Amino acid sequence: MTILDLRSDTVTRPTAEMRQAMMAAEVGDDMMGEDPTVNRLEHRIAEMFGHEAAVLACSGTQSNQMAVRVHCQPGDELLIHSTGHICNFEGGGPAALSGVSVRTVPGEGGMLQTADLAGMIRARDQHFCRTRLLCVENTTNIGGGRVYPLSRLQELSEWARAHDLRVHLDGARLFNAIVAAGYSAAEAGSCFDTISICFSKGLGCPFGSMLIGDRQTIQQARRVRKLFGGSLRQSGFIAAAAIHALDHHIDRLADDHRNARRLADGLRTLNGIRNLSETVDSNLFFFELDPALGTAVQFAAALREDGILIGPMGGQRVRLVTHLDIPDDAIDGILRAMTRRIAAGFADQPLLGKGPFSK
Ligand SMILES: *Cc1c(COP(=O)(O)O)cnc(C)c1O
């Protein structure tokens, strides 16, 4: 049985062509700055985003936390949406790695707006920590895969700069946003001091991330990367996968978005599905199951028998994510299986585990 894994876009395995590109990579010692493939990728990404420099990192978590460390001093505070990855899913990194406290801000769809940020900056007074950094997430993850319009990124950027804050973009799925909204990497890039991107999500690489910014910031980030244990040697193998992904896996993100919308449109019509987001901007969305049917973990257990894996997010909540390994022609079958399971109920399934992000 082929498994259709909708838990995350991180589950993709490298294609045969990507593996070939990795095999053929010219490599050297990256920590000594001598890996030609890494250097080529770093230049290409920096140029693409309209910045001076970029540095390869192991994961999105690592590049985000490198950014926090570079922008902030111990005792500083960062502003972020309450659902933000940096403060919820990175092991308490700002406090543990940089001595930085977090002040969270509400907002629909995981998105910030300047009206919600008003009054969030601490007065310059010996009692208070220094508000130093604004973190924006695009696309949003727990916010439901929402895509910021360019105008809103520009407003946030102007607000941050007017208040002497640095501004960082967690762009783990930024290429999804770029493809969905139609702005360029450079247009998005111009709004931020640093940008982190991931190669291991929609782009389909086994791992790898990059932090982008000005030359001095990225030079500091290299020192922090070393400190955090993320400086690698023949990293060209992973850079070759990323170069392959830039050439072949960006435009196709539109297919993932179309497939997510087809799934959402199909599910929305079913009795027993609640709070499915009105807007499916990119490749992921959330919904809730009527408790009379069973829990999200039980729904997942039932679908596993059909070869379909889904992400229970605690209680009744489910997240579905489309990606490179969910082909267009699988969508109808997934919808049929889900329709059947929802009609039958799944409260008889075992209550195994709690799901990856549940409390
Ligand atoms: C996945 C993700 C990251 C990075 O996660 P890693 O697993 O460390 O690569 C960062 N931000 C968001 C919003 C994400 O979804």
Side-chain angles (χ1 to χ4, degrees):
M1 181 161 61
T2 42
I3 301 291
L4 294 163
D5 192 341
L6 298 156
R7 290 173 304 168
S8 175
D9 43 9
T10 55
V11 300
T12 54
R13 269 160 279 202
T15 61
E17 294 77 20
M18 183 179 280
R19 287 167 196 250
Q20 266 169 11
M22 294 172 78
M23 283 285 287
E26 198 190 331
V27 297
D29 192 316
D30 179 17
M31 213 187 298
M32 297 183 188
E34 291 175 3
D35 189 301
T37 311
V38 171
N39 293 343
R40 189 149 55 89
L41 176 65
E42 288 177 347
H43 285 132
R44 177 167 170 181
I45 290 288
E47 194 162 281
M48 189 178 206
F49 283 87
H51 280 263
E52 289 173 352
V55 57
L56 184 69
C58 299
S59 67
T61 296
Q62 190 170 61
S63 52
N64 281 334
Q65 296 301 328
M66 282 157 52
V68 172
R69 179 66 171 244
V70 163
H71 292 309
C72 301
Q73 296 295 316
D76 286 352
E77 188 166 66
L78 64 79
L79 297 175
I80 187 167
H81 192 278
S82 57
T83 58
H85 198 278
I86 289 174
C87 65
N88 287 289
F89 300 106
E90 301 189 2
L97 300 172
S98 301
V100 168
S101 61
V102 164
R103 193 170 199 191
T104 60
V105 182
E108 188 256 328
M111 294 188 287
L112 299 170
Q113 51 187 355
T114 51
D116 296 325
L117 288 163
M120 288 288 183
I121 296 181
R122 310 253 181 202
R124 289 290 155 96
D125 178 282
Q126 61 178 344
H127 290 86
F128 304 123
C129 53
R130 180 179 67 149
T131 311
R132 179 58 176 156
L133 176 66
L134 176 68
C135 295
V136 181
E137 189 174 300
N138 190 25
T139 66
T140 65
N141 179 342
I142 299 304
R146 298 295 302 279
V147 174
Y148 275 88
L150 184 61
S151 58
R152 196 145 151 196
L153 296 179
Q154 288 163 339
E155 280 165 31
L156 288 167
S157 171
E158 279 164 26
W159 179 87
R161 285 169 180 163
H163 291 87
D164 201 21
L165 304 187
R166 297 286 186 92
V167 54
H168 170 71
L169 177 63
D170 176 354
R173 295 189 178 83
L174 185 54
F175 287 107
N176 293 84
I178 285 168
V179 166
Y183 40 76
S184 70
E187 284 171 317
S190 71
C191 302
F192 297 93
D193 295 303
T194 51
I195 303 137
S196 65
I197 55 167
C198 280
F199 300 115
S200 56
K201 299 252 161 100
L203 295 192
C205 296
F207 66 95
S209 167
M210 214 158 247
L211 186 68
I212 305 150
D214 66 40
R215 202 169 286 115
Q216 195 190 350
T217 302
I218 296 307
Q219 202 176 336
Q220 289 172 316
R222 276 184 203 282
R223 292 185 63 82
V224 173
R225 180 182 69 163
K226 177 71 186 166
L227 175 68
F228 290 177
S231 298
L232 302 176
R233 302 297 183 174
Q234 282 74 40
S235 336
F237 290 113
I238 202 67
I243 290 169
H244 178 84
L246 292 176
D247 290 337
H248 301 283
H249 293 174
I250 292 185
D251 293 344
R252 63 152 307 286
L253 291 170
D255 304 345
D256 297 343
H257 301 171
R258 194 182 54 247
N259 287 336
R261 264 194 302 276
R262 276 176 64 201
L263 278 175
D265 289 343
L267 291 170
R268 214 189 306 274
T269 63
L270 302 180
N271 280 329
I273 295 221
R274 300 168 168 183
N275 293 329
L276 196 147
S277 27
E278 289 292 317
T279 355
V280 177
D281 285 347
S282 62
N283 72 325
L284 68 86
F285 64 95
F286 292 80
F287 60 87
E288 280 160 29
L289 297 159
D290 183 336
L293 297 171
T295 66
V297 165
Q298 291 175 312
F299 188 40
L303 286 168
R304 190 177 278 268
E305 293 170 10
D306 305 324
I308 297 167
L309 304 184
I310 60 162
M313 304 294 282
Q316 304 307 116
R317 204 145 188 257
V318 175
R319 184 181 77 166
L320 298 183
V321 190
T322 56
H323 52 73
L324 193 58
D325 291 350
I326 303 292
D328 297 355
D329 62 10
I331 301 300
D332 288 337
I334 293 168
L335 276 174
R336 269 197 305 276
M338 290 188 176
T339 305
R340 194 159 41 83
R341 293 290 175 181
I342 284 168
F346 31 81
D348 57 333
Q349 292 282 341
L351 274 160
L352 290 171
K354 292 196 276 182
F357 305 120
S358 59
K359 293 207 179 71

